[in-house]
Amino acid sequence: KVNSDPNGLVRIKRVLVSVSDKTSIVNLCQFLTSMGVEVISTGGSAKILMENGVAVTEVSDYTEFPELLDGRLKTLNPKIHGGLLGIRDNEDHHQAMAEHGILPIDACVVNLYPFEETVNSGADFGTCVENIDVGGPAMIRAAAKNFKSVTVVTEVDQYAELLTELAENDGCTSLALREKYAGAAYARTAVYDAKIASWFSMQGEDHFPERLVISGTLKQRLRYGENPHQRAAFYVSDGPKRLGAATSEIIQGKELSYNNIADTDAAWELVCEFNEPAVAIIKHANPCGAAVGVNPMDAYLRALACDPISAFGGIVAFNRTLDKDAAEEVIKTFTEVVIAPDSTAEALQILSQKKNLRVLLTGGIPADELGWTVKSVASGYLVQDRDAGSVTEAQLQIVTKRAPTAQEITDMLFAWKVSLGSSEACTIRVFFVSHEMAFVNVGFDTISSGVQVRQVERDRVCKGWIHCRPRGRADEPSGFRSNSSSKSEGDL
């Protein structure tokens, strides 16, 4: 009567199926029935299984209780939850189940109403409420609690592993698999409930909820973190998706590292600040160059000219479709990652010459949606609205003796955008010298591994460019001033 064995294997004799996402459910249930498993199913799931020749007992027939309230009440029944929760080697449980005609249910395959997708689609309030699943989370939690005897499956991606396990163990699942799936099940319902709670809180005036749950889905287990001794992984947010490094399609190249992902995100967010064709080059959380141009190639060459030495082994971001001309220039310098909204076939063919070069395509430029940015601190999180602000020439107040020229204002606004974009994404505070909408030089408050602040380079750049602007240029840091103590009418 106890449906288990000393090795932790449990044979599946009866399975409950209730899925919104019906991907591969027919194949799964065909395999289960071929092994003699009884399938109990609900509404739409039962319909598609029967249409494909799978023998099914509908829930209402099994519970001897009809579906009520437009389908809101289907599985909240003692025959369902008793079958999931009953402890198999507990004699009292066994007697109670027998007395009330409750049969043990050995597996539960459930995925939830698409609440998150419904909200993201812009559906009205009533439609979103109707897509809040009640019975599904209840069944998942009941099955997960009784994982010593019950297998709970909540993701389509788990089907293949489940079928392999059943085939290898003559229709049984191991305790290790059931425990792993139970953990995944509770994580799924936790995220689901958190999204519902967050959505409800956003309906009122409370912009920030009393309780904040940050959830994500594992995308990649990384070789190591920022340093080789740190373990790391990459998760994609379960919330609304913003086009960028996390959601991009990887076209070619080696596996991304922790630092690759961080730098790619920084470079991408920086170029998305601009409406004009723009390129940013980031390395080890430091901006090596940024520029706008008449086309992607022009912007890239101008960005590269800022510091071609530090750009070696960097991340290059474009905010325009990558074309043949730009790709031909990119492969002339060793580059770790290229990210762009899209690429021509010719450009991809050129980049493919560098087999290890990672190429990421985002599918577009992110919209100026509000959303949040989150930063972790010890035992807490700092949450704020995404910075969608901007500074225009009309907002500037001239407080110096000499008014800047039109070109100087253009350069300062460019430098302002770059400094804000860099401070959001990079770990080093920077100051910029810009000329004609490109960096002339970048200075750092500290020295970071991989990008050394070279005094000789700074002096070389300053001496080379000092003739391009009046002394005391509005965007010239004090560290780049001439050593001469004399002042001119142009000083600020």
Side-chain angles (χ1 to χ4, degrees):
K1 294 179 180 179
V2 178
N3 191 20
S4 61
D5 78 357
N7 296 318
L9 293 176
V10 172
R11 183 175 302 283
I12 296 179
K13 295 182 178 180
R14 188 172 294 106
V15 61
L16 174 64
V17 176
S18 180
V19 294
S20 292
D21 181 357
K22 296 173 177 57
T23 304
S24 301
I25 194 61
V26 172
N27 292 337
L28 175 63
C29 290
Q30 286 175 338
F31 181 89
L32 292 172
T33 55
S34 73
M35 302 189 76
V37 177
E38 178 187 353
V39 177
I40 303 168
S41 189
T42 61
S45 301
K47 183 175 182 292
I48 192 173
L49 291 175
M50 288 188 287
E51 288 174 347
N52 285 273
V54 179
V56 175
T57 300
E58 292 199 58
V59 163
S60 57
D61 294 331
Y62 175 73
T63 62
E64 300 178 322
F65 201 92
E67 293 186 7
L68 297 177
L69 310 177
D70 298 322
R72 286 190 172 198
L73 186 60
K74 291 181 288 191
T75 57
L76 296 172
N77 186 286
K79 283 195 172 183
I80 299 296
H81 287 272
L84 295 171
L85 285 167
I87 299 175
R88 306 305 195 257
D89 56 2
N90 184 306
E91 189 59 30
D92 290 339
H93 284 205
H94 179 69
Q95 290 180 3
M97 292 170 71
E99 180 181 349
H100 294 282
I102 298 173
L103 299 175
I105 299 174
D106 309 304
C108 177
V109 181
V110 178
N111 55 56
L112 304 175
Y113 290 176
F115 173 78
E116 300 105 312
E117 292 82 355
T118 303
V119 171
N120 293 340
S121 72
D124 60 65
F125 183 87
T127 302
C128 292
V129 170
E130 285 305 311
N131 277 275
I132 296 175
D133 205 330
V134 176
M139 289 187 290
I140 289 173
R141 291 173 64 83
K145 181 174 182 177
N146 203 17
F147 70 89
K148 289 186 178 180
S149 301
V150 180
T151 305
V152 56
V153 182
T154 54
E155 305 289 347
V156 173
D157 291 344
Q158 296 171 334
Y159 292 178
E161 183 180 29
L162 174 65
L163 292 176
T164 299
E165 176 114 343
L166 292 171
E168 292 177 350
N169 294 306
D170 191 26
C172 298
T173 59
S174 65
L175 178 61
L177 183 77
R178 295 194 301 276
E179 187 171 358
K180 181 175 79 169
Y181 282 6
Y186 280 119
R188 179 69 187 102
T189 57
V191 170
Y192 193 76
D193 288 340
K195 295 303 177 186
I196 295 169
S198 177
W199 177 75
F200 266 110
S201 71
M202 297 296 284
Q203 304 309 306
E205 297 179 358
D206 187 6
H207 189 59
F208 297 104
E210 287 295 321
R211 292 183 181 275
L212 174 66
V213 178
I214 300 172
S215 65
T217 299
L218 180 66
K219 181 173 183 177
Q220 180 185 345
R221 298 185 189 279
L222 303 172
R223 288 172 294 164
Y224 54 85
E226 188 172 2
N227 298 293
H229 64 276
Q230 294 173 277
R231 293 182 295 179
F234 183 31
Y235 288 83
V236 176
S237 171
D238 289 324
K241 301 297 188 289
R242 176 179 171 85
L243 296 177
T247 60
S248 63
E249 179 185 3
I250 301 177
I251 303 300
Q252 69 164 58
K254 297 190 301 182
E255 185 178 83
L256 289 164
S257 70
Y258 181 98
N259 290 324
N260 288 154
I261 295 168
D263 287 350
T264 301
D265 179 69
W268 173 252
E269 290 295 333
L270 178 50
V271 295
C272 289
E273 293 283 334
F274 295 93
N275 295 321
E276 311 93 332
V279 169
I281 305 174
I282 303 287
K283 182 177 179 183
H284 293 181
N286 295 325
C288 305
V292 297
V294 296
N295 54 49
M297 182 191 73
D298 181 48
Y300 172 73
L301 291 176
R302 289 164 61 81
L304 180 66
C306 169
D307 190 347
I309 296 176
S310 293
F312 183 86
I315 311 296
V316 178
F318 292 83
N319 68 352
R320 291 290 193 276
T321 296
L322 187 64
D323 59 20
K324 172 178 176 291
D325 294 338
E328 288 177 340
E329 294 299 329
V330 167
I331 63 171
K332 293 178 182 179
T333 300
F334 172 60
T335 301
E336 291 278 5
V337 181
V338 171
I339 184 170
D342 202 355
S343 176
T344 65
E346 287 181 310
L348 292 180
Q349 182 63 35
I350 293 167
L351 296 178
S352 69
Q353 298 174 35
K354 304 294 183 180
K355 301 300 182 184
N356 291 332
L357 171 64
R358 295 92 158 174
V359 178
L360 280 60
L361 300 181
T362 65
I365 298 293
D368 290 332
E369 71 277 357
L370 290 177
W372 291 341
T373 60
V374 181
K375 180 179 180 180
S376 63
V377 296
S379 301
Y381 301 97
L382 287 171
V383 181
Q384 66 175 349
D385 290 335
R386 182 174 294 280
D387 187 358
S390 61
V391 175
T392 65
E393 183 175 351
Q395 295 173 288
L396 300 179
Q397 295 182 22
I398 299 173
V399 295
T400 58
K401 293 180 180 179
R402 179 180 69 80
T405 66
Q407 182 61 55
E408 287 174 339
I409 289 176
T410 298
D411 287 345
M412 284 190 287
L413 290 173
F414 168 81
W416 179 263
K417 275 189 176 182
V418 174
S419 65
L420 286 181
S422 299
S423 64
E424 280 287 315
C426 300
T427 59
I428 305 286
R429 191 158 63 90
V430 297
F431 53 85
F432 305 92
V433 180
S434 65
H435 179 67
E436 295 182 354
M437 311 250 334
F439 286 175
V440 173
N441 200 12
V442 186
F444 303 90
D445 284 350
T446 58
I447 296 178
S448 173
S449 62
V451 183
Q452 300 298 322
V453 182
R454 300 176 299 276
Q455 180 69 37
V456 63
E457 290 296 315
R458 189 190 72 174
D459 290 345
R460 177 185 61 79
V461 172
C462 289
K463 290 175 182 177
W465 286 89
I466 196 69
H467 68 276
C468 294
R469 59 187 184 278
R471 181 174 301 165
R473 180 181 173 86
D475 57 347
E476 179 184 8
S478 59
F480 289 145
R481 295 287 182 90
S482 168
N483 289 330
S484 171
S485 59
S486 63
K487 294 184 177 181
S488 69
E489 198 62 27
D491 285 334
L492 302 181

